[in-house]
Amino acid sequence: QVQLVESGGGLVQAGGSLRLSCAASGRTFSRYAMGWFRQAPGKEREFVSAITWSGSNTYYADFVKGRFTISRDNAKNTVSLQMNNLNLEDTAVYYCAGTASSGVPLRSRYVYDYWGQGTQVTVSS
């Protein structure tokens, strides 16, 4: 039912910034917790950040703390990920995900019901 579409990926130099956006279509978007995951070549999909349906709680992987910021605008049906001070290890396909479940571990990829197609982020030296 819910469709997610990521945008904003691209090529950026190390130390630079990029902002990803996820547009959602669905009747109950405001009740979905949202997350960002990424997957690099040869690696498993890993947790990056998440935000609860109200936006009151946010979660971050250790490797992005202080660099990335997640936010959402329920009125516009969007969730964003501001990425600053990017490094080579941030190169990956970034996926937006949503879950209607409550009280679930948002750091786990297994709790999400819907996924976007992904957007490529490439960080160059």
mmCIF file of all heavy atoms in Angstrom, residues 61-113:
data_model
loop_
_atom_site.group_PDB
_atom_site.id
_atom_site.type_symbol
_atom_site.label_atom_id
_atom_site.label_comp_id
_atom_site.label_asym_id
_atom_site.label_seq_id
_atom_site.Cartn_x
_atom_site.Cartn_y
_atom_site.Cartn_z
ATOM 1 N N ALA A 61 23.119 5.167 13.930
ATOM 2 C CA ALA A 61 24.241 4.254 14.037
ATOM 3 C C ALA A 61 25.450 5.024 14.549
ATOM 4 O O ALA A 61 25.585 6.228 14.307
ATOM 5 C CB ALA A 61 24.549 3.624 12.678
ATOM 6 N N ASP A 62 26.322 4.323 15.250
ATOM 7 C CA ASP A 62 27.487 4.976 15.837
ATOM 8 C C ASP A 62 28.346 5.672 14.788
ATOM 9 O O ASP A 62 28.919 6.735 15.049
ATOM 10 C CB ASP A 62 28.327 3.965 16.616
ATOM 11 C CG ASP A 62 27.669 3.518 17.900
ATOM 12 O OD1 ASP A 62 26.760 4.225 18.387
ATOM 13 O OD2 ASP A 62 28.066 2.463 18.427
ATOM 14 N N PHE A 63 28.437 5.092 13.622
ATOM 15 C CA PHE A 63 29.345 5.629 12.621
ATOM 16 C C PHE A 63 28.840 6.893 11.942
ATOM 17 O O PHE A 63 29.566 7.494 11.149
ATOM 18 C CB PHE A 63 29.687 4.556 11.564
ATOM 19 C CG PHE A 63 28.505 3.935 10.892
ATOM 20 C CD1 PHE A 63 27.856 4.563 9.847
ATOM 21 C CD2 PHE A 63 28.044 2.691 11.298
ATOM 22 C CE1 PHE A 63 26.771 3.989 9.217
ATOM 23 C CE2 PHE A 63 26.957 2.096 10.674
ATOM 24 C CZ PHE A 63 26.321 2.747 9.639
ATOM 25 N N VAL A 64 27.615 7.317 12.250
ATOM 26 C CA VAL A 64 27.093 8.550 11.659
ATOM 27 C C VAL A 64 26.748 9.609 12.697
ATOM 28 O O VAL A 64 26.378 10.734 12.318
ATOM 29 C CB VAL A 64 25.862 8.292 10.773
ATOM 30 C CG1 VAL A 64 26.197 7.288 9.683
ATOM 31 C CG2 VAL A 64 24.680 7.817 11.604
ATOM 32 N N LYS A 65 26.882 9.288 13.967
ATOM 33 C CA LYS A 65 26.554 10.252 15.013
ATOM 34 C C LYS A 65 27.409 11.503 14.874
ATOM 35 O O LYS A 65 28.618 11.441 14.720
ATOM 36 C CB LYS A 65 26.759 9.632 16.395
ATOM 37 C CG LYS A 65 25.692 8.638 16.783
ATOM 38 C CD LYS A 65 25.907 8.121 18.194
ATOM 39 C CE LYS A 65 24.802 7.169 18.604
ATOM 40 N NZ LYS A 65 25.022 6.619 19.963
ATOM 41 N N GLY A 66 26.737 12.641 14.933
ATOM 42 C CA GLY A 66 27.424 13.907 14.792
ATOM 43 C C GLY A 66 27.598 14.348 13.362
ATOM 44 O O GLY A 66 28.021 15.487 13.116
ATOM 45 N N ARG A 67 27.282 13.479 12.417
ATOM 46 C CA ARG A 67 27.427 13.806 11.002
ATOM 47 C C ARG A 67 26.100 13.826 10.257
ATOM 48 O O ARG A 67 25.903 14.665 9.374
ATOM 49 C CB ARG A 67 28.365 12.817 10.312
ATOM 50 C CG ARG A 67 29.778 12.798 10.874
ATOM 51 C CD ARG A 67 30.703 11.994 9.976
ATOM 52 N NE ARG A 67 30.278 10.594 9.863
ATOM 53 C CZ ARG A 67 30.095 9.956 8.700
ATOM 54 N NH1 ARG A 67 30.290 10.605 7.562
ATOM 55 N NH2 ARG A 67 29.731 8.684 8.681
ATOM 56 N N PHE A 68 25.211 12.905 10.593
ATOM 57 C CA PHE A 68 23.932 12.787 9.900
ATOM 58 C C PHE A 68 22.794 13.245 10.799
ATOM 59 O O PHE A 68 22.841 13.082 12.023
ATOM 60 C CB PHE A 68 23.658 11.335 9.491
ATOM 61 C CG PHE A 68 24.576 10.795 8.429
ATOM 62 C CD1 PHE A 68 25.670 11.511 7.977
ATOM 63 C CD2 PHE A 68 24.331 9.544 7.885
ATOM 64 C CE1 PHE A 68 26.514 10.996 7.002
ATOM 65 C CE2 PHE A 68 25.158 9.024 6.911
ATOM 66 C CZ PHE A 68 26.249 9.742 6.472
ATOM 67 N N THR A 69 21.754 13.779 10.186
ATOM 68 C CA THR A 69 20.563 14.193 10.908
ATOM 69 C C THR A 69 19.320 13.742 10.153
ATOM 70 O O THR A 69 19.176 14.032 8.967
ATOM 71 C CB THR A 69 20.511 15.716 11.094
ATOM 72 O OG1 THR A 69 21.679 16.169 11.792
ATOM 73 C CG2 THR A 69 19.271 16.106 11.899
ATOM 74 N N ILE A 70 18.440 13.040 10.840
ATOM 75 C CA ILE A 70 17.198 12.588 10.238
ATOM 76 C C ILE A 70 16.062 13.501 10.677
ATOM 77 O O ILE A 70 16.043 13.994 11.802
ATOM 78 C CB ILE A 70 16.894 11.117 10.610
ATOM 79 C CG1 ILE A 70 15.731 10.575 9.778
ATOM 80 C CG2 ILE A 70 16.610 10.976 12.100
ATOM 81 C CD1 ILE A 70 15.510 9.075 9.944
ATOM 82 N N SER A 71 15.123 13.725 9.786
ATOM 83 C CA SER A 71 13.966 14.548 10.100
ATOM 84 C C SER A 71 12.795 14.113 9.230
ATOM 85 O O SER A 71 12.976 13.403 8.244
ATOM 86 C CB SER A 71 14.270 16.037 9.886
ATOM 87 O OG SER A 71 14.592 16.297 8.530
ATOM 88 N N ARG A 72 11.609 14.531 9.607
ATOM 89 C CA ARG A 72 10.439 14.204 8.802
ATOM 90 C C ARG A 72 9.463 15.359 8.798
ATOM 91 O O ARG A 72 9.414 16.163 9.727
ATOM 92 C CB ARG A 72 9.760 12.925 9.306
ATOM 93 C CG ARG A 72 9.068 13.039 10.660
ATOM 94 C CD ARG A 72 8.600 11.673 11.146
ATOM 95 N NE ARG A 72 7.620 11.084 10.248
ATOM 96 C CZ ARG A 72 7.302 9.793 10.228
ATOM 97 N NH1 ARG A 72 7.911 8.944 11.068
ATOM 98 N NH2 ARG A 72 6.381 9.339 9.384
ATOM 99 N N ASP A 73 8.687 15.415 7.748
ATOM 100 C CA ASP A 73 7.650 16.418 7.595
ATOM 101 C C ASP A 73 6.393 15.676 7.182
ATOM 102 O O ASP A 73 6.194 15.379 6.010
ATOM 103 C CB ASP A 73 8.048 17.464 6.554
ATOM 104 C CG ASP A 73 7.069 18.619 6.485
ATOM 105 O OD1 ASP A 73 5.922 18.476 6.938
ATOM 106 O OD2 ASP A 73 7.453 19.681 5.969
ATOM 107 N N ASN A 74 5.575 15.356 8.154
ATOM 108 C CA ASN A 74 4.387 14.554 7.872
ATOM 109 C C ASN A 74 3.387 15.278 6.978
ATOM 110 O O ASN A 74 2.646 14.644 6.230
ATOM 111 C CB ASN A 74 3.713 14.144 9.185
ATOM 112 C CG ASN A 74 4.523 13.123 9.953
ATOM 113 O OD1 ASN A 74 5.404 12.472 9.405
ATOM 114 N ND2 ASN A 74 4.226 12.981 11.238
ATOM 115 N N ALA A 75 3.358 16.594 7.063
ATOM 116 C CA ALA A 75 2.454 17.359 6.218
ATOM 117 C C ALA A 75 2.813 17.212 4.749
ATOM 118 O O ALA A 75 1.941 17.292 3.875
ATOM 119 C CB ALA A 75 2.462 18.831 6.619
ATOM 120 N N LYS A 76 4.098 17.000 4.468
ATOM 121 C CA LYS A 76 4.560 16.835 3.102
ATOM 122 C C LYS A 76 4.871 15.383 2.759
ATOM 123 O O LYS A 76 5.350 15.098 1.664
ATOM 124 C CB LYS A 76 5.787 17.702 2.850
ATOM 125 C CG LYS A 76 5.514 19.192 2.966
ATOM 126 C CD LYS A 76 6.749 20.008 2.637
ATOM 127 C CE LYS A 76 6.460 21.493 2.697
ATOM 128 N NZ LYS A 76 7.645 22.311 2.362
ATOM 129 N N ASN A 77 4.639 14.481 3.699
ATOM 130 C CA ASN A 77 4.882 13.052 3.484
ATOM 131 C C ASN A 77 6.324 12.767 3.078
ATOM 132 O O ASN A 77 6.583 12.013 2.131
ATOM 133 C CB ASN A 77 3.926 12.488 2.435
ATOM 134 C CG ASN A 77 2.487 12.544 2.875
ATOM 135 O OD1 ASN A 77 2.176 12.496 4.063
ATOM 136 N ND2 ASN A 77 1.585 12.640 1.900
ATOM 137 N N THR A 78 7.251 13.366 3.787
ATOM 138 C CA THR A 78 8.656 13.178 3.465
ATOM 139 C C THR A 78 9.485 12.923 4.716
ATOM 140 O O THR A 78 9.141 13.363 5.808
ATOM 141 C CB THR A 78 9.250 14.387 2.738
ATOM 142 O OG1 THR A 78 9.113 15.560 3.556
ATOM 143 C CG2 THR A 78 8.556 14.619 1.407
ATOM 144 N N VAL A 79 10.568 12.215 4.520
ATOM 145 C CA VAL A 79 11.581 12.047 5.546
ATOM 146 C C VAL A 79 12.924 12.322 4.883
ATOM 147 O O VAL A 79 13.140 11.937 3.733
ATOM 148 C CB VAL A 79 11.539 10.636 6.177
ATOM 149 C CG1 VAL A 79 11.768 9.555 5.124
ATOM 150 C CG2 VAL A 79 12.558 10.521 7.302
ATOM 151 N N SER A 80 13.794 13.010 5.590
ATOM 152 C CA SER A 80 15.062 13.422 5.013
ATOM 153 C C SER A 80 16.230 12.944 5.849
ATOM 154 O O SER A 80 16.095 12.663 7.035
ATOM 155 C CB SER A 80 15.119 14.946 4.878
ATOM 156 O OG SER A 80 14.104 15.430 4.027
ATOM 157 N N LEU A 81 17.373 12.867 5.208
ATOM 158 C CA LEU A 81 18.616 12.527 5.886
ATOM 159 C C LEU A 81 19.677 13.506 5.418
ATOM 160 O O LEU A 81 20.117 13.441 4.272
ATOM 161 C CB LEU A 81 19.034 11.089 5.573
ATOM 162 C CG LEU A 81 20.279 10.596 6.314
ATOM 163 C CD1 LEU A 81 19.980 10.447 7.807
ATOM 164 C CD2 LEU A 81 20.769 9.274 5.734
ATOM 165 N N GLN A 82 20.049 14.411 6.304
ATOM 166 C CA GLN A 82 21.118 15.349 6.020
ATOM 167 C C GLN A 82 22.439 14.701 6.378
ATOM 168 O O GLN A 82 22.654 14.312 7.522
ATOM 169 C CB GLN A 82 20.929 16.644 6.811
ATOM 170 C CG GLN A 82 22.026 17.679 6.607
ATOM 171 C CD GLN A 82 22.066 18.223 5.200
ATOM 172 O OE1 GLN A 82 21.034 18.575 4.645
ATOM 173 N NE2 GLN A 82 23.259 18.287 4.618
ATOM 174 N N MET A 83 23.325 14.593 5.421
ATOM 175 C CA MET A 83 24.596 13.923 5.614
ATOM 176 C C MET A 83 25.728 14.925 5.439
ATOM 177 O O MET A 83 25.887 15.504 4.367
ATOM 178 C CB MET A 83 24.758 12.766 4.624
ATOM 179 C CG MET A 83 23.615 11.762 4.662
ATOM 180 S SD MET A 83 23.899 10.328 3.590
ATOM 181 C CE MET A 83 23.898 11.123 1.990
ATOM 182 N N ASN A 84 26.492 15.118 6.499
ATOM 183 C CA ASN A 84 27.614 16.041 6.482
ATOM 184 C C ASN A 84 28.920 15.302 6.715
ATOM 185 O O ASN A 84 28.939 14.196 7.251
ATOM 186 C CB ASN A 84 27.435 17.119 7.551
ATOM 187 C CG ASN A 84 26.208 17.970 7.346
ATOM 188 O OD1 ASN A 84 25.813 18.247 6.217
ATOM 189 N ND2 ASN A 84 25.592 18.394 8.449
ATOM 190 N N ASN A 85 30.002 15.938 6.314
ATOM 191 C CA ASN A 85 31.338 15.371 6.500
ATOM 192 C C ASN A 85 31.415 13.932 6.001
ATOM 193 O O ASN A 85 31.864 13.030 6.707
ATOM 194 C CB ASN A 85 31.739 15.452 7.970
ATOM 195 C CG ASN A 85 33.219 15.208 8.190
ATOM 196 O OD1 ASN A 85 34.033 15.425 7.294
ATOM 197 N ND2 ASN A 85 33.573 14.739 9.380
ATOM 198 N N LEU A 86 30.991 13.732 4.790
ATOM 199 C CA LEU A 86 30.976 12.393 4.213
ATOM 200 C C LEU A 86 32.390 11.871 3.987
ATOM 201 O O LEU A 86 33.307 12.626 3.675
ATOM 202 C CB LEU A 86 30.212 12.407 2.897
ATOM 203 C CG LEU A 86 28.696 12.592 3.034
ATOM 204 C CD1 LEU A 86 28.086 13.029 1.714
ATOM 205 C CD2 LEU A 86 28.061 11.294 3.520
ATOM 206 N N ASN A 87 32.543 10.578 4.150
ATOM 207 C CA ASN A 87 33.815 9.928 3.896
ATOM 208 C C ASN A 87 33.618 8.767 2.928
ATOM 209 O O ASN A 87 32.494 8.422 2.566
ATOM 210 C CB ASN A 87 34.476 9.457 5.197
ATOM 211 C CG ASN A 87 33.585 8.541 6.012
ATOM 212 O OD1 ASN A 87 33.155 7.490 5.530
ATOM 213 N ND2 ASN A 87 33.320 8.917 7.255
ATOM 214 N N LEU A 88 34.716 8.170 2.513
ATOM 215 C CA LEU A 88 34.668 7.115 1.507
ATOM 216 C C LEU A 88 33.817 5.931 1.951
ATOM 217 O O LEU A 88 33.182 5.276 1.116
ATOM 218 C CB LEU A 88 36.079 6.642 1.161
ATOM 219 C CG LEU A 88 37.001 7.676 0.509
ATOM 220 C CD1 LEU A 88 38.366 7.060 0.240
ATOM 221 C CD2 LEU A 88 36.398 8.199 -0.789
ATOM 222 N N GLU A 89 33.803 5.646 3.240
ATOM 223 C CA GLU A 89 33.037 4.513 3.750
ATOM 224 C C GLU A 89 31.530 4.728 3.690
ATOM 225 O O GLU A 89 30.766 3.785 3.899
ATOM 226 C CB GLU A 89 33.456 4.194 5.192
ATOM 227 C CG GLU A 89 34.829 3.534 5.323
ATOM 228 C CD GLU A 89 35.965 4.466 4.969
ATOM 229 O OE1 GLU A 89 35.889 5.663 5.347
ATOM 230 O OE2 GLU A 89 36.930 4.015 4.322
ATOM 231 N N ASP A 90 31.112 5.949 3.419
ATOM 232 C CA ASP A 90 29.689 6.237 3.294
ATOM 233 C C ASP A 90 29.144 5.875 1.919
ATOM 234 O O ASP A 90 27.934 5.960 1.691
ATOM 235 C CB ASP A 90 29.419 7.718 3.573
ATOM 236 C CG ASP A 90 29.710 8.101 5.012
ATOM 237 O OD1 ASP A 90 29.388 7.307 5.920
ATOM 238 O OD2 ASP A 90 30.262 9.194 5.234
ATOM 239 N N THR A 91 30.006 5.504 1.015
ATOM 240 C CA THR A 91 29.571 5.114 -0.319
ATOM 241 C C THR A 91 28.698 3.870 -0.243
ATOM 242 O O THR A 91 29.118 2.832 0.265
ATOM 243 C CB THR A 91 30.768 4.854 -1.233
ATOM 244 O OG1 THR A 91 31.491 6.072 -1.439
ATOM 245 C CG2 THR A 91 30.316 4.322 -2.582
ATOM 246 N N ALA A 92 27.481 3.974 -0.739
ATOM 247 C CA ALA A 92 26.529 2.871 -0.669
ATOM 248 C C ALA A 92 25.235 3.278 -1.362
ATOM 249 O O ALA A 92 25.039 4.442 -1.712
ATOM 250 C CB ALA A 92 26.234 2.487 0.786
ATOM 251 N N VAL A 93 24.364 2.305 -1.524
ATOM 252 C CA VAL A 93 22.998 2.591 -1.919
ATOM 253 C C VAL A 93 22.202 2.809 -0.641
ATOM 254 O O VAL A 93 22.218 1.968 0.255
ATOM 255 C CB VAL A 93 22.387 1.448 -2.748
ATOM 256 C CG1 VAL A 93 20.925 1.741 -3.064
ATOM 257 C CG2 VAL A 93 23.172 1.252 -4.037
ATOM 258 N N TYR A 94 21.520 3.924 -0.567
ATOM 259 C CA TYR A 94 20.758 4.269 0.621
ATOM 260 C C TYR A 94 19.280 4.012 0.386
ATOM 261 O O TYR A 94 18.715 4.439 -0.626
ATOM 262 C CB TYR A 94 20.988 5.731 0.994
ATOM 263 C CG TYR A 94 22.319 5.958 1.659
ATOM 264 C CD1 TYR A 94 23.495 5.880 0.925
ATOM 265 C CD2 TYR A 94 22.405 6.235 3.020
ATOM 266 C CE1 TYR A 94 24.727 6.059 1.531
ATOM 267 C CE2 TYR A 94 23.632 6.426 3.630
ATOM 268 C CZ TYR A 94 24.790 6.338 2.887
ATOM 269 O OH TYR A 94 26.010 6.527 3.499
ATOM 270 N N TYR A 95 18.660 3.321 1.339
ATOM 271 C CA TYR A 95 17.269 2.934 1.233
ATOM 272 C C TYR A 95 16.428 3.572 2.327
ATOM 273 O O TYR A 95 16.835 3.622 3.487
ATOM 274 C CB TYR A 95 17.119 1.417 1.347
ATOM 275 C CG TYR A 95 17.792 0.635 0.247
ATOM 276 C CD1 TYR A 95 19.107 0.210 0.375
ATOM 277 C CD2 TYR A 95 17.098 0.313 -0.913
ATOM 278 C CE1 TYR A 95 19.728 -0.518 -0.626
ATOM 279 C CE2 TYR A 95 17.706 -0.414 -1.920
ATOM 280 C CZ TYR A 95 19.022 -0.826 -1.770
ATOM 281 O OH TYR A 95 19.634 -1.549 -2.763
ATOM 282 N N CYS A 96 15.272 4.008 1.949
ATOM 283 C CA CYS A 96 14.272 4.490 2.880
ATOM 284 C C CYS A 96 13.327 3.343 3.213
ATOM 285 O O CYS A 96 12.972 2.545 2.334
ATOM 286 C CB CYS A 96 13.503 5.658 2.254
ATOM 287 S SG CYS A 96 12.147 6.310 3.241
ATOM 288 N N ALA A 97 12.928 3.231 4.461
ATOM 289 C CA ALA A 97 12.058 2.147 4.883
ATOM 290 C C ALA A 97 11.021 2.648 5.876
ATOM 291 O O ALA A 97 11.255 3.619 6.600
ATOM 292 C CB ALA A 97 12.871 1.013 5.516
ATOM 293 N N GLY A 98 9.888 1.968 5.918
ATOM 294 C CA GLY A 98 8.827 2.351 6.829
ATOM 295 C C GLY A 98 8.188 1.149 7.493
ATOM 296 O O GLY A 98 8.149 0.062 6.926
ATOM 297 N N THR A 99 7.690 1.358 8.705
ATOM 298 C CA THR A 99 6.980 0.305 9.421
ATOM 299 C C THR A 99 5.807 0.893 10.176
ATOM 300 O O THR A 99 5.909 1.966 10.771
ATOM 301 C CB THR A 99 7.896 -0.450 10.398
ATOM 302 O OG1 THR A 99 7.129 -1.422 11.113
ATOM 303 C CG2 THR A 99 8.549 0.498 11.398
ATOM 304 N N ALA A 100 4.696 0.190 10.148
ATOM 305 C CA ALA A 100 3.514 0.600 10.887
ATOM 306 C C ALA A 100 3.506 0.042 12.303
ATOM 307 O O ALA A 100 2.647 0.405 13.107
ATOM 308 C CB ALA A 100 2.251 0.162 10.155
ATOM 309 N N SER A 101 4.441 -0.829 12.612
ATOM 310 C CA SER A 101 4.506 -1.446 13.923
ATOM 311 C C SER A 101 5.012 -0.463 14.962
ATOM 312 O O SER A 101 5.803 0.432 14.665
ATOM 313 C CB SER A 101 5.405 -2.685 13.894
ATOM 314 O OG SER A 101 4.921 -3.650 12.991
ATOM 315 N N SER A 102 4.559 -0.649 16.184
ATOM 316 C CA SER A 102 5.007 0.173 17.293
ATOM 317 C C SER A 102 5.764 -0.688 18.291
ATOM 318 O O SER A 102 5.520 -1.893 18.409
ATOM 319 C CB SER A 102 3.827 0.858 17.983
ATOM 320 O OG SER A 102 2.926 -0.101 18.512
ATOM 321 N N GLY A 103 6.677 -0.066 18.999
ATOM 322 C CA GLY A 103 7.445 -0.776 20.001
ATOM 323 C C GLY A 103 8.381 -1.827 19.438
ATOM 324 O O GLY A 103 8.656 -2.834 20.096
ATOM 325 N N VAL A 104 8.871 -1.611 18.228
ATOM 326 C CA VAL A 104 9.789 -2.549 17.595
ATOM 327 C C VAL A 104 11.179 -1.925 17.519
ATOM 328 O O VAL A 104 11.314 -0.701 17.530
ATOM 329 C CB VAL A 104 9.311 -2.957 16.189
ATOM 330 C CG1 VAL A 104 7.983 -3.704 16.291
ATOM 331 C CG2 VAL A 104 9.162 -1.735 15.298
ATOM 332 N N PRO A 105 12.207 -2.759 17.436
ATOM 333 C CA PRO A 105 13.574 -2.229 17.363
ATOM 334 C C PRO A 105 13.862 -1.643 15.983
ATOM 335 O O PRO A 105 14.112 -2.365 15.021
ATOM 336 C CB PRO A 105 14.447 -3.453 17.656
ATOM 337 C CG PRO A 105 13.612 -4.610 17.205
ATOM 338 C CD PRO A 105 12.203 -4.225 17.539
ATOM 339 N N LEU A 106 13.839 -0.345 15.905
ATOM 340 C CA LEU A 106 13.960 0.326 14.620
ATOM 341 C C LEU A 106 15.343 0.214 14.005
ATOM 342 O O LEU A 106 15.517 0.579 12.843
ATOM 343 C CB LEU A 106 13.569 1.795 14.766
ATOM 344 C CG LEU A 106 12.111 2.040 15.175
ATOM 345 C CD1 LEU A 106 11.836 3.534 15.309
ATOM 346 C CD2 LEU A 106 11.152 1.415 14.179
ATOM 347 N N ARG A 107 16.309 -0.262 14.748
ATOM 348 C CA ARG A 107 17.641 -0.474 14.209
ATOM 349 C C ARG A 107 17.729 -1.756 13.390
ATOM 350 O O ARG A 107 18.717 -1.971 12.678
ATOM 351 C CB ARG A 107 18.683 -0.519 15.337
ATOM 352 C CG ARG A 107 18.800 0.782 16.120
ATOM 353 C CD ARG A 107 19.760 0.638 17.291
ATOM 354 N NE ARG A 107 19.792 1.839 18.108
ATOM 355 C CZ ARG A 107 20.623 2.851 17.923
ATOM 356 N NH1 ARG A 107 21.507 2.804 16.940
ATOM 357 N NH2 ARG A 107 20.576 3.908 18.715
ATOM 358 N N SER A 108 16.711 -2.587 13.477
ATOM 359 C CA SER A 108 16.696 -3.852 12.760
ATOM 360 C C SER A 108 15.984 -3.714 11.425
ATOM 361 O O SER A 108 14.866 -3.208 11.358
ATOM 362 C CB SER A 108 16.010 -4.931 13.592
ATOM 363 O OG SER A 108 15.837 -6.118 12.842
ATOM 364 N N ARG A 109 16.605 -4.177 10.379
ATOM 365 C CA ARG A 109 15.999 -4.109 9.055
ATOM 366 C C ARG A 109 14.790 -5.020 8.926
ATOM 367 O O ARG A 109 13.986 -4.843 8.007
ATOM 368 C CB ARG A 109 17.019 -4.452 7.972
ATOM 369 C CG ARG A 109 17.586 -5.859 8.052
ATOM 370 C CD ARG A 109 18.633 -6.049 6.970
ATOM 371 N NE ARG A 109 19.221 -7.375 6.971
ATOM 372 C CZ ARG A 109 20.273 -7.722 7.706
ATOM 373 N NH1 ARG A 109 20.855 -6.842 8.500
ATOM 374 N NH2 ARG A 109 20.761 -8.957 7.630
ATOM 375 N N TYR A 110 14.654 -5.966 9.825
ATOM 376 C CA TYR A 110 13.594 -6.951 9.723
ATOM 377 C C TYR A 110 12.237 -6.444 10.180
ATOM 378 O O TYR A 110 11.228 -7.106 9.951
ATOM 379 C CB TYR A 110 13.967 -8.211 10.512
ATOM 380 C CG TYR A 110 15.249 -8.849 10.041
ATOM 381 C CD1 TYR A 110 16.378 -8.865 10.848
ATOM 382 C CD2 TYR A 110 15.329 -9.424 8.779
ATOM 383 C CE1 TYR A 110 17.554 -9.436 10.409
ATOM 384 C CE2 TYR A 110 16.501 -9.995 8.334
ATOM 385 C CZ TYR A 110 17.615 -10.001 9.156
ATOM 386 O OH TYR A 110 18.785 -10.569 8.713
ATOM 387 N N VAL A 111 12.171 -5.297 10.814
ATOM 388 C CA VAL A 111 10.897 -4.787 11.303
ATOM 389 C C VAL A 111 10.187 -3.909 10.284
ATOM 390 O O VAL A 111 9.044 -3.520 10.506
ATOM 391 C CB VAL A 111 11.066 -4.011 12.627
ATOM 392 C CG1 VAL A 111 11.820 -4.856 13.643
ATOM 393 C CG2 VAL A 111 11.770 -2.677 12.399
ATOM 394 N N TYR A 112 10.828 -3.606 9.200
ATOM 395 C CA TYR A 112 10.249 -2.692 8.228
ATOM 396 C C TYR A 112 9.412 -3.420 7.178
ATOM 397 O O TYR A 112 9.790 -4.485 6.687
ATOM 398 C CB TYR A 112 11.349 -1.859 7.560
ATOM 399 C CG TYR A 112 11.979 -0.898 8.530
ATOM 400 C CD1 TYR A 112 13.073 -1.279 9.302
ATOM 401 C CD2 TYR A 112 11.457 0.373 8.699
ATOM 402 C CE1 TYR A 112 13.630 -0.407 10.223
ATOM 403 C CE2 TYR A 112 12.013 1.249 9.617
ATOM 404 C CZ TYR A 112 13.100 0.854 10.371
ATOM 405 O OH TYR A 112 13.652 1.730 11.285
ATOM 406 N N ASP A 113 8.292 -2.814 6.855
ATOM 407 C CA ASP A 113 7.338 -3.409 5.931
ATOM 408 C C ASP A 113 7.492 -2.913 4.497
ATOM 409 O O ASP A 113 7.136 -3.622 3.550
ATOM 410 C CB ASP A 113 5.908 -3.112 6.396
ATOM 411 C CG ASP A 113 5.652 -3.564 7.815
ATOM 412 O OD1 ASP A 113 5.864 -4.757 8.108
ATOM 413 O OD2 ASP A 113 5.227 -2.715 8.638
#
